[in-house]
Amino acid sequence: MRPLPPWLSYWIGMTAAEQWRSRTAAILIAPVERGFRPPYQGKESMMIASQLAKLIGVEQVSADAEDLAAHRFDRWCLKHWQDWQGEALHAPACVVRPRDSADVQSVVRFAAANSIAMVPWGLGSGVCGAVEPRPDQILIDMSAMDQVLSIDEENLLLTIEAGINGLVAEEAVAERGLTIGHWPQSIGISSVGGWISTRASGQFSTAYGNIEDIVYAIEMVLPDGEMVTLGKAPRAAAGPDLRHLALGAEGTHGVVTSVTLSLRRQPETRRFSAWYCADMASGFRAQREIVQQDWRPPVMRQYDASEVARLFPDYAQGEQCLILLVHEGPASRVDAEILSVESIMAELGLNPADAAAAEGWMGHRNTVPEWRDLLEQGLIADTIEVSATWSQIDAIYDDVVAALKTVPDCVNASAHSSHVYRSGINLYFTFACMPADTSVMGDRYLESWDQALTATAEAGGGIAHHHGSGRLRRDYLHYDLGENGLMLLRKLKQAIDPQGIFNPGNLLPPADAD
């Protein structure tokens, strides 16, 4: 692998060797026991694999036991717990790795003609249960479609195949002094197609936007095998924006095969600042004032006292909360922004903290424990991202933390904010439960999610900010969409995929559950 530019290594906080290990780990998300064998693959599964091999080549189709096992699930914590407990989990009939859009079309047309369900797979970094293949389904692994197709430096456009790793795409444009500006924590293990499918958000979104603000065009194979290109110009008024049929669809409307993203030039200057606030409410007020005065630090993060003690122990000051800011762009604008932020903070009574806290966050921000490491310590945990208006967020923070603490065996309920808008903000809740009986971990996990999403919805907030919905949130979608909105989404699915062969069971709750 080509060495990373020094600035890029700094940004992602990992060495090239660590990134390579992360990418390799993404291919085999679930540890596979040496003696693992998937559930019996009957004649139907063998026929599916054989026919697909004839269509696109033997090397592109795998029914190998370890390959099937590695694609049973993604990074959803609940599935890792089930696997850790020894529960038998379904594997797909076969794993197909298309080389190009024509291969994807061939696979989809075969599946449509034979009414066989398909499950798209990017790099397996999803955390909400969008991937749950069954023995009679085809899993389409897009990781072989990983090429940079073009970099247009005049118009600042990057076109890549959908299976490319996000870091590889960023590295390609970084060599030309450009950046995508999209930095999810999973950048080393996620695909660009996955960003589209989950409506992803990156750590620098406050200035650079979420993926829907960065995407220029999307190429997608529909459930009948036809190809469609969505997006043609910097802006259009040619009817509804059809790119949103792919954004957030989580593999239920087709397969994204290539993406064009709008780029930025790398920033001239970067500086850091950090601030203490007496409580979360006073910090929210400060962040609101900054963005509503039209300043846009790309990174604005606020941690409650519990998270400060756990993540920034060297900077903890009693029950004080901590705000971290990253300022970047033209030097004159950065200087002006910092002066204005200092004035806002002083006026609101916030005290400066050591800016090294923010700089240190940059160095370790993508380092997180594996689920199995926590399970071995007796913990089941997760993060839950929601969002709300400024007038709702104080109550949501208080209510959700209180609700999480009612779950038996809860040993942590905390939160931080990480994405800021003129009209509101998101919150990332972290919970951990430590039951003496590991067999009830799954119950504690689902109860924690239920408590958090229900409390958020009752306070008027949105229950899904940027990780997608998958199977984990699908039964709560009515809170955000309303019953009529859910019905409309179901009608769209029926129109696009009348056979229901794309990722069945994902995103939409079963019809009989409405």
Side-chain angles (χ1 to χ4, degrees), residues 275 293 337-349:
W275 306 86
Q293 286 193 21
E337 181 176 270
I338 288 178
L339 285 174
S340 291
V341 167
E342 289 174 346
S343 175
I344 291 168
M345 296 305 200
E347 183 177 342
L348 294 176

Side-chain angles (χ1 to χ4, degrees), residues 195-484:
W195 296 352
I196 299 295
S197 294
T198 57
R199 289 183 67 88
S201 184
Q203 295 157 334
F204 285 61
S205 69
T206 299
Y208 302 151
N210 301 302
I211 192 62
E212 67 270 20
D213 305 305
I214 298 170
V215 67
Y216 187 87
I218 300 168
E219 181 185 83
M220 181 168 71
V221 174
L222 298 172
D224 61 0
E226 293 299 312
M227 181 76 71
V228 62
T229 299
L230 310 173
K232 180 180 180 180
R235 188 184 183 277
D241 189 343
L242 296 181
R243 294 175 300 177
H244 290 272
L245 293 176
L247 284 156
E250 300 185 36
T252 62
H253 290 168
V255 182
V256 176
T257 53
S258 72
V259 179
T260 299
L261 301 174
S262 182
L263 302 172
R264 295 175 178 272
R265 293 175 181 168
Q266 290 176 17
E268 176 188 358
T269 301
R270 180 183 302 119
R271 292 173 62 185
F272 304 90
S273 66
W275 306 86
Y276 289 113
C277 48
D279 51 32
M280 292 295 277
S282 60
F284 294 149
R285 285 195 296 275
Q287 292 195 74
R288 175 170 61 85
E289 194 61 31
I290 291 169
V291 296
Q292 289 185 353
Q293 286 193 21
D294 221 19
W295 298 109
R296 289 289 183 276
V299 176
M300 301 177 69
R301 301 176 71 87
Q302 177 178 323
Y303 298 83
D304 69 11
S306 175
E307 298 211 351
V308 175
R310 187 174 78 252
L311 302 174
F312 304 93
D314 293 342
Y315 303 96
Q317 288 197 2
E319 293 301 308
Q320 295 274 301
C321 303
L322 181 65
I323 299 176
L324 307 181
L325 302 180
V326 178
H327 313 267
E328 66 179 29
S332 59
R333 189 178 73 194
V334 169
D335 291 343
E337 181 176 270
I338 288 178
L339 285 174
S340 291
V341 167
E342 289 174 346
S343 175
I344 291 168
M345 296 305 200
E347 183 177 342
L348 294 176
L350 275 67
N351 296 316
D354 189 342
E359 190 169 3
W361 169 82
M362 287 285 289
H364 63 73
R365 71 188 195 275
N366 293 335
T367 303
V368 294
E370 293 292 332
W371 295 132
R372 286 167 186 264
D373 295 337
L374 295 177
L375 292 170
E376 293 292 343
Q377 297 175 43
L379 292 165
I380 190 160
D382 209 348
T383 58
I384 303 172
E385 16 70 61
V386 304
S387 64
T389 63
W390 294 111
S391 58
Q392 297 165 336
I393 201 66
D394 292 356
I396 286 176
Y397 170 74
D398 292 337
D399 293 353
V400 173
V401 169
L404 286 170
K405 289 180 177 179
T406 67
V407 178
D409 307 308
C410 176
V411 294
N412 181 79
S414 59
H416 68 268
S417 66
S418 53
H419 305 272
V420 189
Y421 309 91
R422 291 190 303 276
S423 300
I425 192 169
N426 96 302
L427 274 175
Y428 240 117
F429 292 97
T430 299
F431 72 84
C433 294
M434 195 173 188
D437 180 1
T438 60
S439 69
V440 303
M441 281 182 166
D443 294 334
R444 301 292 186 265
Y445 177 88
L446 292 174
E447 184 176 352
S448 296
W449 269 89
D450 179 69
Q451 290 285 353
L453 296 187
T454 301
T456 297
E458 288 178 348
I463 56 103
H465 181 261
H466 66 267
H467 283 163
S469 293
R471 288 167 173 80
L472 184 52
R473 282 190 172 101
R474 69 181 183 186
D475 294 333
Y476 300 86
L477 276 188
H478 64 278
Y479 285 126
D480 275 18
L481 302 183
E483 295 300 337
N484 287 340

